[in-house]
Amino acid sequence: MTEEEIVELHDIDDLQDIDLEGDDDGGQTLYEHLRIEVDRGQVPLRIDKFLTEHTQHSSRNRIQQAAEGGFLFVNDKPVKSNYKVRAGDIITLRLERPHFDTTIVPEDIPLDVRYEDDELMVVYKPAGMVVHPGCGNFHGTLVHAIAWHLRNLPTYDPNDPQVGLVHRIDKDTSGLLVVAKTPEAKSDLGKQFFNHETHRSYVALVWGNFVEDTGTIEGNIGRDPRDRLRMAVFDPSSEEGKPAITHYRVMERYGYTTLVECRLETGRTHQIRAHMKHIGHPLFADERYGGCEVLRGERTASYKAYIHNCLKLCPRQALHAKTIGFVHPKTKEQMFFDSSLPPDLLALIEKWHYRLSPITPTPPTPPTIK
């Protein structure tokens, strides 16, 4: 599973998080990050396909990059991605940095809890906060804050993948997340997310104007082969990536930008960001997907200054996970939670809204975000 889907915290060392630059060890010490002993009954199979089937989050392309970089070994010898594994082989992944201890230790970090009972919590994550530990972010995450909040609950182990976050959002996306406090709750909620039985809506400011008031974007999402930090959209009929569906509704048009509501049918890594980029409407201020450039509008100095001021108001992708709905795993009650837009995104929307009527003596009323 990936972002905004079921989270397995013991898989945070997946291959997409590592630095594979370089083509050999250059005489440097390599540190073991992964070790797999091939079962006795294994038939010969390409190592890239074998590892794709036996590791979570790691694309075949990523594994091929590891092999080409000289970081993939079988029986202590470097191999290429076309090597066929056999019964008894010892596969290792070795990198130039030590393996970090990713054990979750509770940290006293403020946590905005919107709902809590014996089975689950709904928490609000501010923009700028990393959800869980990963390469370069081993402290100060939402997971550490949750561990502190539940530190006196004997049955909650932050290092147990059977409890904890059920889905996730990007570091610079704000909004609501669900936390399972028991294995039973995690299993039940995880199935709801997997079967697309939850309700999730996002508010986003995107570049450009839409022809239609509503629409649906379908396209497989997978790691961009040209930039491992981005996701790319592939044809739904292809074998690349995983199926993804995003429904959108126009909330208000500002001419050069549009305020939209996005409803996720699936939950892939960077789904809204990649899908909107794919149809020519990158999220405003989304640097990773080109949203920090002046993509629509005038060529005047005053307009460029206006965009610059907008980017200062909201210096991150203009995306907010506004609502979350699901069936309570124990009571079977329908639960629904809503969150207000954060100050930076609200200020950005108001600035674009006001720009529609520059000669009006008083600012017009911003749109109601339902």
Coordinates of all heavy atoms in Angstrom, one line a residue, residues 257-336:
T257 N -6.7 30.7 -11.9 CA -6.6 29.5 -11.0 C -8.1 29.1 -10.7 O -9.0 29.8 -11.0 CB -5.9 29.8 -9.7 OG1 -6.6 30.9 -9.0 CG2 -4.5 30.2 -9.9
T258 N -8.2 27.9 -10.1 CA -9.6 27.4 -9.8 C -9.5 26.7 -8.4 O -8.6 25.9 -8.2 CB -10.0 26.4 -10.9 OG1 -10.0 27.0 -12.1 CG2 -11.5 25.9 -10.6
L259 N -10.5 26.9 -7.7 CA -10.7 26.2 -6.4 C -11.5 25.0 -6.6 O -12.6 25.1 -7.2 CB -11.4 27.1 -5.3 CG -11.4 26.6 -3.9 CD1 -10.0 26.5 -3.3 CD2 -12.3 27.4 -3.0
V260 N -11.0 23.8 -6.3 CA -11.7 22.5 -6.6 C -11.8 21.7 -5.3 O -11.0 21.8 -4.4 CB -11.0 21.7 -7.7 CG1 -11.1 22.5 -9.0 CG2 -9.6 21.4 -7.3
E261 N -12.8 20.9 -5.3 CA -13.0 19.8 -4.3 C -12.6 18.5 -5.0 O -13.1 18.2 -6.1 CB -14.4 19.7 -3.8 CG -14.6 18.6 -2.8 CD -16.0 18.3 -2.4 OE1 -16.8 18.2 -3.4 OE2 -16.3 18.2 -1.3
C262 N -11.7 17.7 -4.4 CA -11.3 16.4 -5.0 C -11.8 15.3 -4.0 O -11.6 15.4 -2.8 CB -9.8 16.3 -5.1 SG -9.2 17.5 -6.3
R263 N -12.4 14.3 -4.6 CA -12.8 13.1 -3.8 C -12.1 11.9 -4.3 O -12.1 11.6 -5.5 CB -14.4 12.9 -4.0 CG -14.9 11.8 -3.1 CD -16.4 11.7 -3.1 NE -16.9 11.6 -4.4 CZ -17.1 10.4 -5.0 NH1 -16.7 9.3 -4.4 NH2 -17.6 10.4 -6.2
L264 N -11.4 11.3 -3.4 CA -10.6 10.1 -3.8 C -11.4 8.8 -3.8 O -12.1 8.5 -2.9 CB -9.4 10.0 -2.8 CG -8.4 11.1 -2.8 CD1 -7.3 10.7 -1.8 CD2 -7.8 11.3 -4.2
E265 N -11.3 8.1 -4.9 CA -11.8 6.7 -5.0 C -10.8 5.7 -4.6 O -11.0 4.7 -4.1 CB -12.4 6.5 -6.3 CG -13.3 5.2 -6.4 CD -14.0 5.1 -7.7 OE1 -14.6 6.1 -8.1 OE2 -14.1 4.0 -8.3
T266 N -9.5 6.1 -4.9 CA -8.4 5.3 -4.5 C -7.4 6.2 -3.7 O -7.7 7.4 -3.6 CB -7.6 4.7 -5.7 OG1 -7.3 5.8 -6.6 CG2 -8.5 3.7 -6.5
G267 N -6.4 5.7 -3.2 CA -5.4 6.5 -2.5 C -4.0 6.2 -2.8 O -3.3 5.4 -2.1
R268 N -3.5 6.7 -3.9 CA -2.1 6.5 -4.3 C -1.2 7.6 -3.9 O -1.6 8.7 -3.6 CB -2.0 6.3 -5.8 CG -3.0 5.3 -6.4 CD -2.8 3.9 -5.7 NE -3.8 2.9 -6.3 CZ -4.0 1.8 -5.8 NH1 -3.5 1.4 -4.7 NH2 -4.9 0.9 -6.4
T269 N 0.1 7.3 -3.8 CA 1.1 8.3 -3.5 C 0.9 9.5 -4.5 O 0.9 9.4 -5.7 CB 2.5 7.8 -3.7 OG1 2.6 6.6 -2.8 CG2 3.6 8.8 -3.3
H270 N 0.8 10.7 -3.9 CA 0.7 12.0 -4.6 C -0.5 12.0 -5.6 O -0.4 12.6 -6.7 CB 2.0 12.3 -5.4 CG 3.2 12.5 -4.5 ND1 4.4 12.9 -5.0 CD2 3.4 12.5 -3.2 CE1 5.3 13.0 -4.1 NE2 4.7 12.8 -2.9
Q271 N -1.5 11.2 -5.3 CA -2.6 11.0 -6.3 C -3.2 12.3 -6.9 O -3.2 12.5 -8.1 CB -3.7 10.2 -5.7 CG -4.9 10.0 -6.7 CD -5.8 8.9 -6.3 OE1 -5.4 7.9 -5.7 NE2 -7.1 9.1 -6.5
I272 N -3.6 13.2 -6.0 CA -4.2 14.5 -6.5 C -3.2 15.3 -7.2 O -3.4 15.9 -8.3 CB -4.9 15.2 -5.3 CG1 -6.1 14.4 -4.8 CG2 -5.3 16.6 -5.8 CD1 -6.7 15.1 -3.5
R273 N -2.0 15.4 -6.7 CA -0.9 16.2 -7.2 C -0.6 15.7 -8.6 O -0.4 16.5 -9.6 CB 0.3 16.2 -6.3 CG 0.0 16.8 -4.9 CD 1.1 16.5 -3.9 NE 2.3 17.2 -4.3 CZ 3.5 17.0 -3.6 NH1 3.6 16.1 -2.7 NH2 4.5 17.7 -4.0
A274 N -0.4 14.4 -8.8 CA 0.0 13.8 -10.1 C -1.2 13.9 -11.1 O -0.9 14.2 -12.2 CB 0.4 12.4 -9.9
H275 N -2.4 13.6 -10.6 CA -3.5 13.6 -11.6 C -3.8 15.0 -12.1 O -4.0 15.2 -13.3 CB -4.8 13.1 -10.8 CG -5.0 11.6 -11.1 ND1 -6.0 10.9 -10.4 CD2 -4.3 10.7 -11.9 CE1 -5.9 9.6 -10.8 NE2 -4.9 9.5 -11.7
M276 N -3.7 16.0 -11.2 CA -4.0 17.4 -11.6 C -2.8 17.9 -12.6 O -3.1 18.6 -13.6 CB -4.1 18.3 -10.4 CG -5.4 18.2 -9.7 SD -6.8 18.7 -10.8 CE -8.2 18.1 -9.8
K277 N -1.6 17.5 -12.3 CA -0.5 17.8 -13.2 C -0.8 17.2 -14.6 O -0.5 17.8 -15.6 CB 0.8 17.3 -12.6 CG 2.0 17.3 -13.5 CD 2.5 18.7 -13.8 CE 3.8 18.6 -14.6 NZ 4.4 19.9 -14.9
H278 N -1.3 15.9 -14.6 CA -1.5 15.2 -15.8 C -2.5 15.8 -16.7 O -2.3 15.8 -17.9 CB -1.9 13.8 -15.4 CG -2.2 12.9 -16.6 ND1 -1.2 12.5 -17.4 CD2 -3.3 12.3 -17.0 CE1 -1.7 11.7 -18.4 NE2 -3.0 11.6 -18.1
I279 N -3.5 16.5 -16.1 CA -4.5 17.1 -17.0 C -4.3 18.6 -17.2 O -5.1 19.3 -17.7 CB -6.0 16.9 -16.4 CG1 -6.1 17.6 -15.0 CG2 -6.3 15.4 -16.3 CD1 -7.5 17.6 -14.5
G280 N -3.1 19.0 -16.8 CA -2.7 20.4 -17.1 C -3.1 21.4 -16.1 O -3.1 22.6 -16.3
H281 N -3.4 21.0 -14.8 CA -3.8 21.9 -13.8 C -3.0 21.6 -12.5 O -3.5 21.1 -11.5 CB -5.3 21.7 -13.5 CG -6.1 22.1 -14.6 ND1 -6.4 23.5 -14.9 CD2 -6.8 21.4 -15.5 CE1 -7.2 23.5 -16.0 NE2 -7.5 22.3 -16.3
P282 N -1.7 21.8 -12.5 CA -0.9 21.5 -11.3 C -1.4 22.3 -10.1 O -1.9 23.4 -10.3 CB 0.5 22.0 -11.7 CG 0.6 22.0 -13.2 CD -0.8 22.4 -13.6
L283 N -1.2 21.8 -8.9 CA -1.6 22.5 -7.7 C -0.8 23.8 -7.6 O 0.4 23.8 -7.8 CB -1.4 21.6 -6.5 CG -2.6 20.8 -6.0 CD1 -3.0 19.8 -7.1 CD2 -2.3 20.1 -4.7
F284 N -1.4 24.8 -7.2 CA -0.7 26.1 -6.9 C 0.3 25.9 -5.8 O 0.1 25.3 -4.8 CB -1.7 27.2 -6.5 CG -1.1 28.6 -6.5 CD1 -1.1 29.3 -7.6 CD2 -0.6 29.1 -5.3 CE1 -0.5 30.6 -7.6 CE2 0.0 30.3 -5.2 CZ 0.0 31.1 -6.4
A285 N 1.5 26.4 -6.1 CA 2.7 26.4 -5.1 C 3.2 25.0 -4.9 O 4.0 24.8 -4.0 CB 2.3 27.0 -3.8
D286 N 2.9 24.0 -5.8 CA 3.4 22.7 -5.7 C 4.7 22.6 -6.4 O 4.8 22.4 -7.7 CB 2.4 21.6 -6.2 CG 2.9 20.2 -5.9 OD1 4.0 20.0 -5.5 OD2 2.0 19.3 -6.1
E287 N 5.8 22.8 -5.8 CA 7.1 22.9 -6.4 C 7.5 21.6 -7.1 O 8.1 21.6 -8.2 CB 8.2 23.3 -5.4 CG 9.6 23.5 -6.0 CD 10.6 24.0 -4.9 OE1 10.2 24.0 -3.7 OE2 11.7 24.3 -5.3
R288 N 7.2 20.5 -6.5 CA 7.6 19.2 -7.0 C 7.0 19.0 -8.4 O 7.6 18.3 -9.3 CB 7.2 18.1 -6.1 CG 7.5 16.7 -6.5 CD 9.0 16.4 -6.5 NE 9.5 16.6 -5.1 CZ 10.8 16.7 -4.8 NH1 11.7 16.8 -5.8 NH2 11.2 16.9 -3.6
Y289 N 5.8 19.5 -8.6 CA 5.0 19.3 -9.9 C 4.9 20.5 -10.7 O 4.0 20.6 -11.6 CB 3.7 18.6 -9.6 CG 3.8 17.2 -9.1 CD1 4.0 16.9 -7.7 CD2 3.8 16.1 -10.0 CE1 4.1 15.6 -7.3 CE2 3.9 14.8 -9.5 CZ 4.1 14.6 -8.2 OH 4.2 13.3 -7.7
G290 N 5.8 21.5 -10.5 CA 5.8 22.7 -11.4 C 4.8 23.8 -11.0 O 4.7 24.7 -11.8
G291 N 4.2 23.7 -9.9 CA 3.2 24.7 -9.5 C 3.7 26.0 -9.0 O 2.9 26.9 -8.7
C292 N 5.0 26.1 -8.8 CA 5.6 27.4 -8.3 C 5.9 28.4 -9.4 O 6.3 29.5 -9.2 CB 6.8 27.1 -7.5 SG 6.4 26.5 -5.8
E293 N 5.7 27.9 -10.7 CA 5.9 28.8 -11.8 C 4.7 29.6 -12.1 O 3.6 29.2 -11.7 CB 6.3 27.9 -13.0 CG 7.6 27.1 -12.8 CD 8.8 27.9 -12.6 OE1 8.9 29.0 -13.2 OE2 9.7 27.4 -11.8
V294 N 4.8 30.7 -12.9 CA 3.6 31.4 -13.3 C 3.1 30.7 -14.6 O 3.6 30.9 -15.7 CB 4.0 32.9 -13.6 CG1 2.7 33.6 -14.1 CG2 4.6 33.6 -12.4
L295 N 2.1 29.9 -14.4 CA 1.6 29.0 -15.5 C 0.5 29.6 -16.2 O 0.2 29.2 -17.4 CB 1.2 27.6 -14.9 CG 2.3 26.8 -14.2 CD1 1.8 25.5 -13.7 CD2 3.5 26.6 -15.1
R296 N -0.3 30.5 -15.6 CA -1.4 31.2 -16.3 C -1.3 32.7 -15.9 O -0.9 33.0 -14.8 CB -2.7 30.6 -15.9 CG -2.9 29.1 -16.1 CD -3.1 28.8 -17.6 NE -3.6 27.5 -17.8 CZ -2.8 26.4 -17.7 NH1 -1.5 26.5 -17.4 NH2 -3.3 25.2 -17.9
G297 N -1.9 33.5 -16.8 CA -2.0 34.9 -16.5 C -1.2 35.9 -17.3 O -0.8 35.6 -18.4
E298 N -1.0 37.1 -16.8 CA -0.4 38.2 -17.5 C 1.1 38.1 -17.4 O 1.7 37.4 -16.6 CB -0.9 39.5 -16.9 CG -2.5 39.5 -16.8 CD -3.0 40.5 -15.7 OE1 -2.2 41.2 -15.2 OE2 -4.2 40.4 -15.5
R299 N 1.7 38.9 -18.3 CA 3.2 39.0 -18.3 C 3.7 40.3 -17.6 O 4.9 40.6 -17.7 CB 3.7 38.9 -19.7 CG 3.4 37.6 -20.4 CD 4.0 37.5 -21.8 NE 3.8 36.2 -22.4 CZ 4.3 35.9 -23.6 NH1 5.0 36.8 -24.3 NH2 4.0 34.7 -24.1
T300 N 2.8 41.0 -16.9 CA 3.2 42.3 -16.3 C 4.0 42.0 -15.1 O 3.9 41.0 -14.4 CB 2.0 43.1 -16.0 OG1 1.2 42.4 -15.0 CG2 1.1 43.3 -17.3
A301 N 4.8 43.1 -14.7 CA 5.6 43.0 -13.5 C 4.6 43.0 -12.2 O 4.9 42.3 -11.3 CB 6.5 44.2 -13.4
S302 N 3.5 43.7 -12.3 CA 2.6 43.7 -11.2 C 2.0 42.3 -10.9 O 1.8 41.9 -9.8 CB 1.5 44.8 -11.4 OG 0.8 44.5 -12.6
Y303 N 1.7 41.6 -12.0 CA 1.1 40.3 -11.9 C 2.1 39.3 -11.3 O 1.8 38.5 -10.4 CB 0.5 39.8 -13.2 CG -0.1 38.4 -13.1 CD1 -1.3 38.2 -12.5 CD2 0.6 37.3 -13.7 CE1 -1.9 36.9 -12.4 CE2 0.0 36.0 -13.6 CZ -1.2 35.8 -13.0 OH -1.7 34.6 -12.9
K304 N 3.3 39.4 -11.8 CA 4.4 38.5 -11.2 C 4.6 38.8 -9.7 O 4.8 37.9 -9.0 CB 5.7 38.7 -12.0 CG 5.6 38.2 -13.4 CD 6.9 38.4 -14.2 CE 6.9 37.9 -15.6 NZ 8.1 38.1 -16.3
A305 N 4.5 40.1 -9.4 CA 4.6 40.4 -8.0 C 3.5 39.9 -7.2 O 3.6 39.4 -6.0 CB 4.7 42.0 -7.8
Y306 N 2.3 39.9 -7.8 CA 1.1 39.3 -7.1 C 1.3 37.8 -6.9 O 1.0 37.4 -5.8 CB -0.1 39.6 -8.0 CG -1.4 38.9 -7.6 CD1 -2.2 39.3 -6.6 CD2 -1.7 37.7 -8.2 CE1 -3.3 38.6 -6.1 CE2 -2.9 37.0 -7.8 CZ -3.6 37.5 -6.8 OH -4.8 36.8 -6.4
I307 N 1.7 37.1 -7.9 CA 2.0 35.7 -7.7 C 3.0 35.4 -6.6 O 2.9 34.5 -5.8 CB 2.4 35.0 -9.0 CG1 1.3 35.1 -10.1 CG2 2.8 33.6 -8.8 CD1 0.0 34.5 -9.7
H308 N 4.1 36.3 -6.6 CA 5.1 36.1 -5.6 C 4.5 36.3 -4.2 O 4.9 35.5 -3.3 CB 6.2 37.2 -5.9 CG 7.3 37.2 -4.8 ND1 8.3 36.2 -4.7 CD2 7.6 38.0 -3.8 CE1 9.1 36.4 -3.7 NE2 8.7 37.6 -3.1
N309 N 3.7 37.2 -4.0 CA 3.0 37.5 -2.7 C 2.1 36.3 -2.4 O 2.0 35.9 -1.2 CB 2.2 38.8 -2.8 CG 3.1 40.0 -2.8 OD1 4.2 39.9 -2.3 ND2 2.6 41.1 -3.4
C310 N 1.4 35.7 -3.4 CA 0.6 34.5 -3.1 C 1.4 33.4 -2.6 O 1.1 32.6 -1.7 CB -0.1 34.1 -4.4 SG -1.5 35.2 -4.9
L311 N 2.6 33.2 -3.2 CA 3.5 32.1 -2.8 C 4.0 32.3 -1.4 O 4.3 31.3 -0.7 CB 4.6 31.9 -3.9 CG 4.2 31.4 -5.3 CD1 5.4 31.5 -6.2 CD2 3.7 30.0 -5.2
K312 N 4.2 33.6 -1.1 CA 4.7 33.8 0.3 C 3.6 33.5 1.3 O 3.8 33.1 2.4 CB 5.1 35.3 0.4 CG 6.4 35.6 -0.3 CD 6.7 37.1 -0.2 CE 6.9 37.6 1.2 NZ 7.3 39.0 1.3
L313 N 2.3 33.8 0.9 CA 1.2 33.5 1.8 C 1.1 32.0 2.1 O 0.8 31.6 3.2 CB -0.1 34.0 1.2 CG -0.5 35.5 1.4 CD1 -1.8 35.8 0.6 CD2 -0.6 35.8 2.9
C314 N 1.2 31.2 1.1 CA 1.1 29.8 1.2 C 2.2 29.1 0.5 O 2.1 28.7 -0.7 CB -0.3 29.3 0.6 SG -0.6 27.6 0.8
P315 N 3.4 28.9 1.1 CA 4.6 28.4 0.5 C 4.6 26.9 0.5 O 5.7 26.3 0.8 CB 5.7 29.0 1.3 CG 5.1 29.1 2.7 CD 3.6 29.4 2.5
R316 N 3.5 26.3 0.1 CA 3.5 24.8 0.0 C 2.3 24.5 -0.9 O 1.5 25.3 -1.2 CB 3.3 24.2 1.4 CG 2.2 24.8 2.2 CD 0.9 23.9 2.2 NE -0.2 24.4 3.1 CZ -1.3 23.7 3.3 NH1 -1.5 22.6 2.7 NH2 -2.2 24.2 4.1
Q317 N 2.2 23.2 -1.4 CA 1.1 22.9 -2.3 C -0.2 23.2 -1.6 O -0.4 22.9 -0.5 CB 1.2 21.4 -2.7 CG 0.9 20.4 -1.6 CD 2.2 19.7 -1.2 OE1 3.3 20.1 -1.4 NE2 2.0 18.5 -0.5
A318 N -1.1 23.8 -2.4 CA -2.4 24.3 -1.9 C -3.4 23.1 -1.8 O -4.3 23.0 -2.6 CB -2.9 25.4 -2.7
L319 N -3.2 22.3 -0.8 CA -4.0 21.1 -0.7 C -4.3 20.8 0.7 O -3.4 20.8 1.6 CB -3.2 19.9 -1.3 CG -4.0 18.5 -1.3 CD1 -5.2 18.6 -2.2 CD2 -3.0 17.4 -1.9
H320 N -5.6 20.5 1.0 CA -6.0 20.3 2.4 C -7.0 19.1 2.4 O -8.0 19.0 1.7 CB -6.7 21.5 2.9 CG -7.3 21.3 4.3 ND1 -6.6 21.2 5.4 CD2 -8.6 21.3 4.7 CE1 -7.3 21.1 6.5 NE2 -8.6 21.1 6.1
A321 N -6.7 18.1 3.3 CA -7.5 16.9 3.5 C -8.7 17.3 4.4 O -8.5 17.3 5.6 CB -6.7 15.7 4.1
K322 N -9.8 17.8 3.9 CA -10.8 18.4 4.6 C -11.7 17.5 5.4 O -12.1 17.8 6.6 CB -11.6 19.3 3.7 CG -12.5 20.3 4.5 CD -13.1 21.3 3.6 CE -13.8 22.4 4.3 NZ -14.8 22.0 5.3
T323 N -12.2 16.4 4.8 CA -13.1 15.5 5.4 C -12.7 14.1 5.4 O -11.9 13.7 4.6 CB -14.5 15.6 4.8 OG1 -14.5 15.0 3.5 CG2 -15.0 17.1 4.7
I324 N -13.2 13.3 6.4 CA -13.0 11.9 6.4 C -14.2 11.2 7.0 O -14.8 11.7 8.0 CB -11.7 11.5 7.2 CG1 -11.5 10.0 7.2 CG2 -11.8 12.0 8.7 CD1 -11.0 9.5 5.9
G325 N -14.7 10.2 6.3 CA -15.9 9.5 6.8 C -15.7 8.0 6.7 O -15.1 7.5 5.7
F326 N -16.2 7.3 7.7 CA -16.0 5.8 7.7 C -17.0 5.2 8.7 O -17.7 6.0 9.4 CB -14.6 5.5 8.1 CG -14.1 6.1 9.4 CD1 -14.4 5.5 10.7 CD2 -13.5 7.3 9.4 CE1 -14.0 6.1 11.9 CE2 -13.1 8.0 10.6 CZ -13.4 7.4 11.8
V327 N -17.1 3.9 8.7 CA -18.0 3.2 9.7 C -17.1 2.8 10.9 O -16.0 2.3 10.7 CB -18.6 2.0 9.0 CG1 -19.4 1.2 10.0 CG2 -19.5 2.4 7.8
H328 N -17.6 3.2 12.1 CA -16.9 2.8 13.3 C -16.7 1.3 13.3 O -17.6 0.6 13.2 CB -17.6 3.3 14.5 CG -16.8 3.3 15.7 ND1 -16.5 2.2 16.4 CD2 -16.1 4.3 16.4 CE1 -15.7 2.4 17.5 NE2 -15.5 3.7 17.5
P329 N -15.4 0.9 13.5 CA -15.1 -0.6 13.5 C -15.8 -1.4 14.6 O -16.0 -2.6 14.4 CB -13.6 -0.6 13.7 CG -13.2 0.7 14.3 CD -14.2 1.7 13.8
K330 N -16.3 -0.8 15.7 CA -16.9 -1.5 16.7 C -18.4 -1.2 16.8 O -19.2 -2.2 16.9 CB -16.3 -1.2 18.1 CG -16.8 -2.1 19.2 CD -15.9 -1.9 20.5 CE -16.4 -2.9 21.6 NZ -15.5 -2.7 22.8
T331 N -18.8 0.0 16.9 CA -20.2 0.4 17.0 C -21.0 0.3 15.7 O -22.2 0.3 15.7 CB -20.3 1.8 17.6 OG1 -19.9 2.8 16.6 CG2 -19.5 2.0 18.9
K332 N -20.2 0.3 14.6 CA -20.8 0.3 13.2 C -21.6 1.6 12.9 O -22.3 1.7 12.0 CB -21.7 -0.9 13.0 CG -21.0 -2.2 13.2 CD -19.7 -2.3 12.4 CE -19.0 -3.6 12.7 NZ -17.7 -3.7 12.0
E333 N -21.3 2.6 13.7 CA -21.9 3.9 13.5 C -21.2 4.6 12.3 O -20.0 4.5 12.2 CB -21.9 4.8 14.7 CG -22.4 6.2 14.6 CD -22.1 7.0 15.8 OE1 -21.5 6.5 16.8 OE2 -22.4 8.2 15.8
Q334 N -21.9 5.3 11.5 CA -21.3 6.1 10.4 C -20.7 7.4 11.0 O -21.3 8.2 11.7 CB -22.3 6.5 9.4 CG -21.7 7.3 8.2 CD -20.8 6.5 7.4 OE1 -21.1 5.5 6.9 NE2 -19.6 7.1 7.2
M335 N -19.4 7.5 10.9 CA -18.6 8.6 11.4 C -18.2 9.6 10.3 O -17.9 9.2 9.2 CB -17.4 8.1 12.1 CG -17.6 7.0 13.1 SD -18.4 7.5 14.6 CE -17.1 8.4 15.5
F336 N -18.3 10.9 10.6 CA -17.9 11.9 9.6 C -17.3 13.1 10.3 O -17.8 13.6 11.3 CB -19.1 12.3 8.8 CG -18.7 13.3 7.7 CD1 -18.3 12.8 6.5 CD2 -18.9 14.7 7.9 CE1 -17.9 13.7 5.5 CE2 -18.5 15.5 6.8 CZ -18.0 15.0 5.6

